[in-house]
Amino acid sequence: HVQLVESGGGSVQAGGSLRLSCAASASTSSTYCMGWFRQAPGKEREAAAAIYTSGGNTKYADSVEGRFTISQDNAKNTMYLQMTSLKPEDTAVYYCAARAPPNMEVRETRDFWGFRFGIWGQGTQVTVSS
């Protein structure tokens, strides 16, 4: 299956911006949907945003709507998450994810927007200070 590698995390003050990138090892068109999830210390992994790999329709969690923008460059097999107006509560490890095929055994899954995400990157830390 496709391999995912995130980059672009770091530390920023509240109100600042960061852009995360997710490079895929191959075309992601067959996954139908890609997304960004995040996990804060002591909390469950939760969805932040998702995008259809064909067509580019997007979906956001209420907590990031209007502040985060998910996009993709299919020619580069790369997905992005532009984060603005960052808040301390956005501090988390951010994971790039892809929809897992129905017959694929995966260790961890999350459902969002009607899709089962089960292919994960290694994660990138985002820290927002007040």
Side-chain angles (χ1 to χ4, degrees):
H1 59 79
V2 66
Q3 307 289 321
L4 305 172
V5 178
E6 304 95 334
S7 61
S11 297
V12 65
Q13 289 193 326
S17 300
L18 281 174
R19 189 177 83 154
L20 306 182
S21 298
C22 171
S25 58
S27 172
T28 57
S29 60
S30 63
T31 67
Y32 298 111
C33 194
M34 299 280 293
W36 287 98
F37 288 70
R38 64 185 186 180
Q39 187 166 16
K43 294 189 176 182
E44 288 289 315
R45 190 172 301 187
E46 63 178 12
I51 186 167
Y52 273 105
T53 54
S54 296
N57 287 1
T58 58
K59 174 76 171 178
Y60 296 94
D62 290 344
S63 57
V64 307
E65 179 87 55
R67 300 187 298 121
F68 290 10
T69 302
I70 188 171
S71 63
Q72 60 190 357
D73 185 335
N74 290 337
K76 297 181 179 179
N77 295 333
T78 301
M79 179 177 66
Y80 305 98
L81 186 68
Q82 179 67 49
M83 304 184 294
T84 64
S85 301
L86 282 162
K87 305 174 182 180
E89 51 263 44
D90 294 318
T91 295
V93 177
Y94 283 70
Y95 296 91
C96 172
R99 167 192 164 273
N103 60 347
M104 181 178 181
E105 287 191 17
V106 294
R107 290 184 299 168
E108 185 167 7
T109 64
R110 290 292 185 274
D111 293 330
F112 182 64
W113 206 14
F115 293 98
R116 184 184 73 137
F117 289 85
I119 301 172
W120 304 95
Q122 83 286 355
T124 186
Q125 177 70 46
V126 171
T127 302
V128 184
S129 58
S130 57

